[in-house]
Amino acid sequence: MVECETLKTGEEWVELTIGGRSLKNMDFWTRSDPFVVLFRAVGGEEEEDGMGRVYSMDSSRSSLVSVSSEDMMQQKVSGQRIFPWVRKRNVEVQQGWIRVGQTETIWDNLDPMFMKKFYFRWETQEEREVWLQARFYDQDAETVEEQQLSGSHDFIGSCEFFLQDVVSATGLAVPLKNNRGIEDARCGFGYFVAEKMPMTCELSQVYDIDIRFSRDCNMPTKRKECQRYFVVLSRRIKPLTGTAQTDLDEWIPVYRTGARDVSHTSQELIRFQQISLTAMALYGDHEDRPLKIQLFCLGRKGNHLELGRVNFSITTLREEENRNRFELYCQGDLLKGSLIVNTAFSRLPGASNSLVLHFADLLWS
């Protein structure tokens, strides 16, 4: 696994996104604050993760059982579609686990979809036979230090899977094991999405994105003088070969801003964040990929209120460069407004493109 910035053109990579479904709530007054630590199985030769750490089976809190490759299982997440078959590994890990990386923490959420992406080279058969383990934790300390995982944070569950199985599916759900290594429906499911990414010069381009918010009227007053707002930018999951894009309406997050306190009487311009994303991180393998930006009001226990959203694509923005206005879609006519997009594109390899995404003309009904 490598960071996106080190990917080389001309090579094929796989991007892995991690999520959770129906995770066990480890907190009493609120919901769990999950994050995931990803590990790769090591067998045969001794390997380290670049920091001198080799993980043994004891540190995984679960054991792998040698089973037939024909031993398959099907799981259904309550209220959702049946996910593809999950293959169990038929060889025990002899050496242990190497730490690949860690996601961010998502607060008060039992169905998280993490923004952090992991990239794996996808050139040879050996590189495709990757056996991974995801360990889900509930963050209970201010910082997430690796040496504190067993003590300062609650263990939710873990699961193992072949990366190739995730690539072969639109989305893969794997039941989590408890701290005794037993599959436990109360722990929930790990949910994984993988996409092949042929690295090209176009996908190495950088997009500088500025996300803003302003309104033309006072917000509805509630108990608090201030409300907190945040924005999520997502892209639609790439469908499998032979599957129509219209048959799929699942999204993975590309970026999630921090929450900003906004007074209900203030009408100043709010700037969430200025970020830089590669084209591959933003829209995947092609700029026709649908993107979605959502404006949320922060709620208790993860019950965030979606105020409005807009779907667009980079191709759409290129058709009318410099300025685009999209009507904000809101459920229940709670809010009316627009997303104004100012753009500046460059076709030069390695050059930066500019996107200003501005929620404006907001009127509460």
Side-chain angles (χ1 to χ4, degrees):
M1 195 284 301
V2 298
E3 295 296 333
C4 186
E5 290 79 1
T6 65
L7 303 185
K8 298 180 180 180
T9 59
E11 298 177 336
E12 187 172 32
W13 297 80
V14 163
E15 178 193 80
L16 177 67
T17 302
I18 301 177
R21 294 290 186 271
S22 304
L23 297 181
K24 183 178 181 180
N25 190 11
M26 309 299 291
D27 295 334
F28 184 76
W29 296 108
T30 61
R31 294 180 179 176
S32 294
D33 306 318
F35 67 93
V36 175
V37 183
L38 185 67
F39 293 82
R40 177 172 61 87
V42 181
E45 299 179 0
E46 181 175 327
E47 292 189 54
E48 296 181 352
D49 65 352
M51 300 183 68
R53 298 172 298 207
V54 174
Y55 290 78
S56 66
M57 290 301 298
D58 292 339
S59 67
S60 69
R61 298 194 182 190
S62 63
S63 59
L64 293 179
V65 180
S66 180
V67 297
S68 167
S69 60
E70 272 68 39
D71 182 12
M72 311 289 280
M73 57 187 174
Q74 189 178 41
Q75 297 290 340
K76 183 176 182 180
V77 177
S78 177
Q80 301 186 22
R81 64 183 176 83
I82 297 178
F83 289 92
W85 293 91
V86 180
R87 175 168 48 136
K88 289 186 178 180
R89 198 180 194 213
N90 60 359
V91 179
E92 291 189 10
V93 176
Q94 301 297 325
Q95 183 67 30
W97 299 97
I98 289 181
R99 186 178 189 272
V100 174
Q102 178 178 307
T103 70
E104 75 279 10
T105 299
I106 298 183
W107 306 103
D108 294 330
N109 200 318
L110 302 182
D111 298 285
M113 203 66 182
F114 297 98
M115 181 179 64
K116 171 73 175 181
K117 305 292 188 295
F118 301 93
Y119 294 88
F120 298 84
R121 193 192 305 271
W122 202 250
E123 295 287 328
T124 66
Q125 184 62 30
E126 182 180 358
E127 290 172 338
R128 298 180 183 186
E129 294 177 352
V130 180
W131 182 244
L132 298 171
Q133 182 188 73
R135 305 178 195 172
F136 290 74
Y137 293 91
D138 170 33
Q139 182 173 338
D140 284 333
E142 292 295 327
T143 59
V144 180
E145 299 293 340
E146 180 198 348
Q147 62 269 23
Q148 298 177 344
L149 289 180
S150 61
S152 300
H153 308 286
D154 294 328
F155 177 73
I156 299 175
S158 66
C159 63
E160 297 85 30
F161 59 95
F162 269 109
L163 180 59
Q164 196 164 18
D165 288 344
V166 186
V167 175
S168 302
T170 302
L172 194 68
V174 185
L176 298 184
K177 300 177 183 179
N178 58 29
N179 55 7
R180 293 178 295 172
I182 301 174
E183 290 180 7
D184 189 340
R186 294 173 298 179
C187 295
F189 295 78
Y191 183 61
F192 307 94
V193 176
E195 296 184 8
K196 294 180 182 179
M197 298 288 182
M199 191 58 186
T200 64
C201 291
E202 178 187 349
L203 295 184
S204 65
Q205 286 191 330
V206 175
Y207 284 79
D208 296 324
I209 303 175
D210 187 355
I211 302 176
R212 304 177 180 182
F213 164 85
S214 65
R215 62 186 182 280
D216 295 334
C217 66
N218 293 343
M219 294 182 294
T221 58
K222 292 190 175 182
R223 294 181 180 179
K224 296 183 178 180
E225 294 183 358
C226 291
Q227 291 179 308
R228 307 193 73 189
Y229 294 84
F230 67 96
V231 173
V232 177
L233 180 63
S234 307
R235 75 166 183 257
R236 181 172 286 173
I237 295 177
K238 180 181 179 180
L240 295 175
T241 303
T243 303
Q245 181 72 73
T246 55
D247 296 337
L248 187 67
D249 192 31
E250 292 192 50
W251 303 76
I252 55 176
V254 172
Y255 193 78
R256 183 185 296 106
T257 72
R260 291 289 306 270
D261 289 326
V262 181
S263 170
H264 69 271
T265 58
S266 173
Q267 297 183 14
E268 63 179 325
L269 174 66
I270 303 297
R271 300 181 70 175
F272 286 97
Q273 259 125 5
Q274 290 179 290
I275 58 175
S276 295
L277 297 173
T278 63
M280 184 169 67
L282 178 61
Y283 54 71
D285 59 349
H286 201 279
E287 61 182 25
D288 282 339
R289 183 78 65 90
L291 302 175
K292 176 172 65 175
I293 186 168
Q294 298 165 281
L295 176 66
F296 287 92
C297 180
L298 191 70
R300 296 183 58 187
K301 295 185 177 182
N303 295 319
H304 309 309
L305 176 63
E306 183 190 38
L307 297 176
R309 65 178 181 268
V310 170
N311 291 6
F312 63 96
S313 70
I314 297 299
T315 299
T316 303
L317 299 182
R318 286 188 185 275
E319 291 175 355
E320 187 179 345
E321 195 170 346
N322 296 325
R323 187 174 183 85
N324 297 270
R325 182 183 292 269
F326 300 89
E327 183 178 354
L328 201 63
Y329 173 78
C330 310
Q331 293 183 345
D333 295 328
L334 178 67
L335 180 69
K336 294 182 180 180
S338 304
L339 177 71
I340 300 174
V341 183
N342 294 292
T343 63
F345 293 110
S346 174
R347 291 290 187 181
L348 299 177
S352 294
N353 304 279
S354 175
L355 295 179
V356 178
L357 307 176
H358 183 189
F359 291 95
D361 306 327
L362 303 183
L363 297 173
W364 270 259
S365 59

